[in-house]
């Protein structure tokens, strides 16, 4: 483009003003800017071509070009602001939400999100316990050997450790007094120890949460499942308190008469220990895959806290006694909602989960 034949800077500027009027959006504005001011834009080419022109022409045209370039720069900047504002106003006008409207998704048969059945049941049970004056405690999923076994009267060579095979972590460090090996906790009974470390008797607390076992899964066994641990420590607690308390608890949970049976059960951390089974509500006791055709389901093992465990928690068993229980929350949820396979609970299958009401 030669300065003597090409449009003058003023003509180019007038042409630019016409294009500016027609801009519809920010992308067009940026294209126009590039066309006039870009590295290979119209004004850059004119300035490049000036290198062979006479000095007066160079000075006059160069100065004009720079002035117009500055004006174009300013005009494009304010045009971009204006277009941005227009876009915001347009999207506000298009996207506004009438929060007073009924949820049309519900009319179309789609359901609103709700809580997972385990959450619903866990919260109901926590409410029952808090209404009875229990504290709700928490404990870590990654536990040490001491809290999961040793402090619960299950030393390293105790065969009862085999009953709950689990997932161990490779890193082990030699502590001064205790051997700290880490594992995914196999039961919420760890919270008994953590509770005794924190509180002095008398106390009563529950501790819900996930537990982990290296299991072969079936209709009533999962690898990751949920328990809620309970512990009461006070003076003069006996087995009759334990039995009365367990019955009241189940009545509160099921809100109707259910058939239960109590039989001896072995757990190193209780003495005596019991298994409290519930008549299977899936098959009404006739036998199914959940209760392994027995008509009964293990739900609520319990017992009197072993004196060694109380001692480990710094409590004198001659003064205080304790009762403890470990409720299987998944199985309870299965009984409550008549779910015939525990594996559905962690399946994440929306067809399953969306059947449950919110809490
Ligand atoms: C225990 O875990 C003891 N810590 C419970 C306890 C606490 C006893 C306090 C005495 C005093 P058990 O392994 O039986 O016990 O598990 C407790 C409950 O968890 C069972 O009754 C059952 O309802 C549930 N449960 C056990 N294993 C599984 C599994 N693999 N999948 C789903 N639920 C399970």
């Amino acid at each position: 483009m030669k300065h003597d034949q090409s449009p003058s800077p003023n003509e180019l500027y007038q042409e630019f003003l016409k294009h500016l009027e027609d801009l519809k959006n920010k992308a067009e504005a940026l294209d126009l800017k590039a066309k006039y001011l870009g590295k290979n834009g119209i004004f850059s080419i004119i300035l490049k071509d000036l290198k062979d022109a006479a000095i007066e022409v160079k000075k006059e045209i160069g100065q004009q070009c720079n002035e117009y370039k500055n004006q174009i720069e300013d005009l494009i900047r304010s045009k971009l602001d204006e277009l941005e504002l227009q876009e915001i106003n347009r999207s506000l006008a298009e996207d506004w939400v009438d929060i007073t409207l009924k949820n049309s998704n519900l009319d179309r048969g789609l359901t609103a999100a709700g809580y997972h059945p385990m959450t619903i049941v866990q919260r109901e049970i926590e409410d029952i316990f808090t209404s009875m004056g229990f504290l709700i405690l928490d404990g870590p999923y990654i536990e040490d050997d001491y809290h999961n076994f040793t402090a619960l009267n299950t030393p390293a060579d105790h065969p009862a450790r085999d009953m709950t095979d689990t997932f161990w972590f490779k890193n082990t460090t030699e502590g001064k007094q205790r051997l700290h090996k880490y594992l995914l906790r196999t039961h919420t009974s760890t919270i008994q120890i953590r509770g005794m470390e924190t509180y002095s008797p008398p106390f009563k607390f529950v501790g819900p949460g996930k537990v982990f076992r290296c299991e072969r899964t079936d209709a009533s066994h999962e690898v990751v499942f949920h328990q809620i641990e309970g512990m009461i420590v006070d003076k003069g607690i006996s087995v009759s308190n334990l039995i009365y308390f367990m019955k009241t608890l189940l009545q509160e949970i099921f809100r109707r008469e259910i058939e239960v049976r109590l039989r001896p059960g072995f757990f190193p951390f209780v003495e005596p220990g019991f298994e409290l089974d519930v008549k299977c509500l899936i098959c009404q006791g006739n036998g199914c895959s959940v209760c392994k055709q027995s008509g009964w389901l293990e739900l609520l093992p319990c017992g009197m806290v072993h004196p060694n465990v109380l001692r480990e928690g710094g409590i004198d068993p001659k003064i205080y006694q304790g009762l403890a229980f470990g409720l299987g929350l998944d199985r309870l949820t299965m009984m409550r909602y008549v779910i015939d396979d525990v594996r559905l609970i962690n399946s994440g299958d929306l067809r399953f989960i969306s059947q449950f009401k919110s809490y």
Side-chain angles (χ1 to χ4, degrees):
M1 192 187 288
K2 294 282 172 216
H3 58 88
D4 47 349
Q5 307 147 1
S6 351
S8 70
N10 182 270
E11 282 166 337
L12 289 169
Y13 179 66
Q14 296 308 321
E15 182 193 279
F16 163 81
L17 290 178
K18 275 192 216 131
H19 290 311
L20 188 71
E21 291 298 306
D22 299 336
L23 290 179
K24 286 189 222 46
N25 54 44
K26 288 200 298 188
E28 284 183 9
L30 292 170
D31 282 349
L32 188 66
K33 183 180 174 185
K35 181 176 171 191
Y36 284 86
L37 306 182
K39 220 164 97 194
N40 297 316
I42 293 171
F43 279 98
S44 303
I45 293 170
I46 296 178
L47 287 169
K48 252 186 241 159
D49 286 351
L50 276 179
K51 66 178 186 316
D52 303 327
I55 187 101
E56 318 78 66
V57 177
K58 237 187 214 172
K59 200 172 160 199
E60 190 196 334
I61 303 287
Q63 197 176 349
Q64 283 179 18
C65 281
N66 285 331
E67 275 167 19
Y68 286 127
K69 273 177 77 179
N70 287 341
Q71 287 185 37
I72 289 174
E73 181 88 48
D74 289 348
L75 285 169
I76 290 276
R77 197 176 304 124
S78 45
K79 190 69 183 180
L80 279 168
D81 289 347
E82 183 191 319
L83 288 167
E84 169 132 27
L85 199 66
Q86 277 175 16
E87 276 175 28
I88 291 172
N89 286 337
R90 198 178 312 126
S91 77
L92 280 177
E94 281 167 10
D95 301 343
W96 70 279
V97 177
D98 182 353
I99 53 167
T100 61
L101 272 181
K102 253 174 58 192
N103 184 346
S104 56
N105 280 345
L106 294 178
D107 293 341
R108 297 208 314 268
L110 300 174
T111 48
Y115 285 103
H116 191 281
M118 291 300 304
T119 309
I120 299 172
V121 170
Q122 184 176 322
R123 289 187 177 187
E124 277 184 17
I125 289 176
E126 284 179 9
D127 280 353
I128 293 171
F129 280 111
T130 34
S131 75
M132 293 195 275
F134 279 71
L135 296 171
I136 313 271
L137 303 188
D138 202 2
Y141 293 165
I142 298 178
E143 260 297 2
D144 54 40
D145 180 294
Y146 173 78
H147 287 90
N148 199 83
F149 292 123
T150 313
L152 285 162
N153 202 29
T154 318
D157 54 358
H158 201 295
R161 285 195 176 206
D162 298 343
M163 290 176 359
T164 51
D165 191 8
T166 187
F167 305 92
W168 293 83
F169 289 86
K170 264 193 180 162
N171 288 346
T172 58
T173 48
E174 204 74 42
K176 272 198 181 134
Q177 275 124 25
R178 294 170 189 162
L179 185 65
H180 290 284
K181 285 186 180 170
Y182 292 94
L183 65 146
L184 289 178
R185 70 176 180 194
T186 60
H187 52 179
T188 45
S189 298
T190 53
I191 297 173
Q192 287 187 34
I193 306 300
R194 295 198 172 272
M196 285 189 289
E197 284 168 354
T198 316
Y199 298 98
S200 306
F203 57 69
K204 44 188 177 182
F205 58 74
V206 288
K210 281 190 169 49
V211 298
F212 311 82
R213 288 187 195 171
C214 202
E215 296 260 26
R216 274 181 68 168
T217 62
D218 60 29
S220 59
H221 289 83
E222 251 296 11
V223 173
V224 180
F225 58 101
H226 305 76
Q227 292 182 340
I228 185 161
E229 192 78 8
M231 189 181 204
I232 305 179
V233 174
D234 206 338
K235 287 179 183 161
I237 302 252
S238 70
V239 173
S240 48
N241 293 112
L242 173 73
I243 293 171
Y244 176 78
F245 181 75
M246 292 298 121
K247 275 190 171 170
T248 315
L249 177 62
L250 288 173
Q251 260 164 27
E252 282 283 337
I253 292 172
F254 287 101
R255 294 189 210 118
R256 61 181 156 129
E257 278 295 317
I258 47 152
E259 245 182 280
V260 296
R261 73 175 186 192
L262 195 67
R263 57 193 171 90
F266 173 71
F267 302 93
F269 35 93
V270 286
E271 182 57 41
F274 303 97
E275 286 283 3
L276 196 146
D277 303 335
V278 177
K279 173 79 84 63
C280 182
L281 298 178
I282 312 265
C283 62
Q284 308 305 328
N286 294 323
C288 66
S289 58
V290 175
C291 62
K292 301 214 172 69
Q293 312 306 329
S294 72
W296 295 92
L297 200 65
E298 273 179 25
L299 189 68
L300 185 50
C302 51
M304 299 300 295
V305 181
H306 197 289
N308 287 350
V309 175
L310 289 173
R311 264 185 228 110
E312 197 64 45
I315 296 169
D316 184 347
K318 290 202 190 85
I319 303 174
Y320 288 103
Q321 296 74 46
L323 64 87
F325 53 90
L327 180 65
L329 270 182
D330 302 63
R331 292 194 192 161
L332 181 74
T333 305
M334 290 167 79
M335 294 294 108
R336 174 70 178 278
Y337 290 114
V338 193
I339 298 167
D340 62 6
D341 196 318
V342 70
R343 290 165 292 196
L344 283 167
I345 288 176
N346 285 343
S347 65
D349 187 336
L350 281 177
R351 289 167 305 176
F352 167 71
I353 298 173
S354 54
Q355 298 172 61
F356 301 91
K357 286 199 206 100
S358 306
Y359 176 66

